[in-house]
Amino acid sequence: MRFTDPSALLSHLLDRHEDGRAGARAYPDNAAFSSVVEADRFRKKLEEASRAGAVELRMDKGRRAGEVKFVRIADAANLYRFVERIPSGERSASALDELFRRAELSTPFAEQGREAAGAWSRNRKWAGIAPGDIGSLAKALILAQAIHAQQHSGLDYRTFSRRTVSDSKALERLEASVVRALRGAVPDIPEGATPREALGALGLEKVSPPLLLSGPITFGAHQPDASFLGFPADAIDTVDFSRMPEYVLVVENYTSFVRHVTEADPDRRGLVLYGGGYPSAGIQKAFGLIARRLPDEVPFYHWSDIDPDGIWIFLTVERAFGRGLIPHLMTVELAEKHGNPPVQVASRVARADGSILFELIAYLSQPGAKHLEQEELDPMIPRL
């Protein structure tokens, strides 16, 4: 980065200083000045800063003699005074005091506030919140604390946000920051979930997604002639069965769900449910109600991607059903045969001692493990 504005160059040096970069340099863009007058004005401002003991100027030689080659800090305190800027460490300390005046925070969320102040002291954002933005930080931490205290139960995004921080759109703006704060207090938030998925799994949804399902289902005396149906998750009690399903299968991916019900099981032998990635709290509750209505003889299966997120989702669905779940098309052999190394560093694999997924979890925890998206496989009915 090169500069034609002396104030921007000096501010850049302080930014690098606050970022912990000792001996940082800043370079003029000597070829970009529009006139000799502009170049002289630039050099005079830097010479003034040098006389104040703030910076050191290294001059060029040869045919460029007289031009400033680069600038570095001589004394940071003098440079702060020269540009009339308060050091970020002082600003962050003041911000932290202001935060605690605005919000009563319990220990884990007060600690998140201190972490934010630490990032601000290095002139860095914290969870997307810019240094000094106390209003956003306070709202994010208050919202996270309220969710941890279960004050969001039964509320949508905007109602919860309005009641908690008197700003109906705050949660939508600060989703990532709220989830970042919650991770320190709620250890089972899956790493790979988007902020909206994470909040949905905790029971807070912007709009409740419908439950999609296929199988031998009826509404009263009516048996719909459709591959699958969708309706509010809390209306699961209105669904009945024309006969007992041979199996229950939850499918993570929408394309794989549609292919399964249209290609693999057009006769609707099983009850097939669309999980929608990380299932929302409403969907999880519906899964629990379904499990209690079916006898133990009906096997329950789950089909996810073979990757760390798929493991998290499987375990979440298993907890929602409250009964043992069998992995479908989720094996080490399939990953080795059809999978590929992940394109980016994989998230941490969930631990589940004693789980039926123990072998797959151990495989995914190893360097070089392949990941497999379920769309790569053709659907098939579980081996009953």
Side-chain angles (χ1 to χ4, degrees):
M1 182 181 295
R2 293 179 176 271
F3 298 88
T4 57
D5 180 342
S7 297
L9 183 147
L10 297 175
S11 293
H12 175 77
L13 281 173
L14 286 177
D15 289 344
R16 300 286 71 75
H17 171 73
E18 293 177 343
D19 203 26
R21 302 187 186 184
R25 299 177 178 183
Y27 294 84
D29 193 352
N30 291 309
F33 292 113
S34 60
S35 66
V36 174
V37 174
E38 183 184 12
D40 286 344
R41 187 162 50 241
F42 178 88
R43 188 179 63 256
K44 287 178 180 178
K45 183 70 172 180
L46 295 183
E47 289 172 347
E48 184 182 347
S50 177
R51 289 193 296 273
V55 296
E56 174 189 343
L57 307 184
R58 178 62 60 90
M59 307 304 292
D60 218 330
K61 299 178 181 179
R63 65 187 181 87
R64 295 186 179 277
E67 292 184 354
V68 178
K69 184 176 182 180
F70 65 81
V71 185
R72 59 187 170 197
I73 296 176
D75 185 286
N78 287 340
L79 182 53
Y80 278 114
R81 283 192 290 271
F82 183 80
V83 300
E84 298 180 343
R85 171 168 159 175
I86 300 173
S88 59
E90 294 179 21
R91 284 184 283 134
S92 66
S94 175
L96 192 61
D97 289 341
E98 177 65 19
L99 172 67
F100 291 146
R101 281 196 295 270
R102 291 191 184 198
E104 293 185 9
L105 300 173
S106 59
T107 299
F109 300 102
E111 187 58 36
Q112 294 294 309
R114 294 187 183 93
E115 182 182 305
W120 290 357
S121 71
R122 300 186 299 277
N123 204 34
R124 294 180 178 177
K125 292 181 179 180
W126 179 84
I129 299 177
D133 188 355
I134 289 297
S136 293
L137 179 61
K139 287 179 179 179
L141 295 177
I142 292 170
L143 287 166
Q145 183 170 262
I147 293 170
H148 185 248
Q150 300 296 311
Q151 295 173 12
H152 64 292
S153 181
L155 301 178
D156 60 86
Y157 261 47
R158 293 199 173 184
T159 302
F160 167 70
S161 188
R162 174 175 54 79
R163 292 183 182 179
T164 306
V165 294
S166 301
D167 181 348
S168 64
K169 297 182 180 179
L171 183 57
E172 293 174 58
R173 293 195 308 271
L174 299 168
E175 283 176 331
S177 308
V178 171
V179 172
R180 168 74 174 273
L182 280 167
R183 287 190 187 279
V186 184
D188 58 349
I189 294 178
E191 291 186 3
T194 65
R196 187 154 297 180
E197 287 172 336
L199 292 174
L202 293 173
L204 189 56
E205 299 162 351
K206 186 175 181 181
V207 179
S208 297
L211 175 63
L212 305 183
L213 76 170
S214 174
I217 56 177
T218 62
F219 291 91
H222 178 60
Q223 184 170 3
D225 184 20
S227 297
F228 62 90
L229 299 172
F231 56 92
D234 58 6
I236 189 63
D237 286 335
T238 65
V239 175
D240 210 341
F241 303 102
S242 59
R243 53 183 167 77
M244 192 58 60
E246 296 179 25
Y247 65 93
V248 175
L249 171 65
V250 177
V251 184
E252 173 193 337
N253 176 272
Y254 179 73
T255 299
S256 296
F257 167 78
V258 174
R259 287 194 64 198
H260 184 92
V261 302
T262 57
E263 299 175 23
D265 193 3
D267 297 328
R268 303 177 203 168
R269 293 169 54 188
L271 176 61
V272 186
L273 307 162
Y274 172 52
Y278 289 90
S280 69
I283 298 294
Q284 291 183 50
K285 183 178 179 181
F287 287 172
L289 293 172
I290 289 171
R292 289 192 285 274
R293 294 179 60 187
L294 297 176
D296 293 340
E297 296 77 46
V298 177
F300 280 59
Y301 296 85
H302 180 79
W303 182 17
S304 263
D305 294 339
I306 301 178
D307 61 14
D309 290 342
I311 299 297
W312 279 102
I313 294 169
F314 181 100
L315 297 174
T316 299
V317 172
E318 188 173 51
R319 285 194 298 269
F321 278 132
R323 60 193 290 174
L325 198 57
I326 305 169
H328 177 57
L329 299 177
M330 297 176 67
T331 66
V332 172
E333 292 73 22
L334 285 172
E336 280 293 307
K337 182 176 181 180
H338 301 286
N340 293 289
V343 295
Q344 58 186 13
V345 177
S347 57
R348 179 174 56 89
V349 184
R351 293 190 59 184
D353 297 336
S355 168
I356 194 172
L357 292 179
F358 180 81
E359 181 182 354
L360 191 57
I361 291 171
Y363 167 76
L364 289 171
S365 301
Q366 298 172 0
K370 295 180 179 179
H371 294 184
L372 175 63
E373 294 185 2
Q374 62 185 122
E375 302 99 307
E376 297 294 327
L377 301 177
D378 291 328
M380 60 181 291
I381 290 179
R383 294 178 180 177
L384 304 177

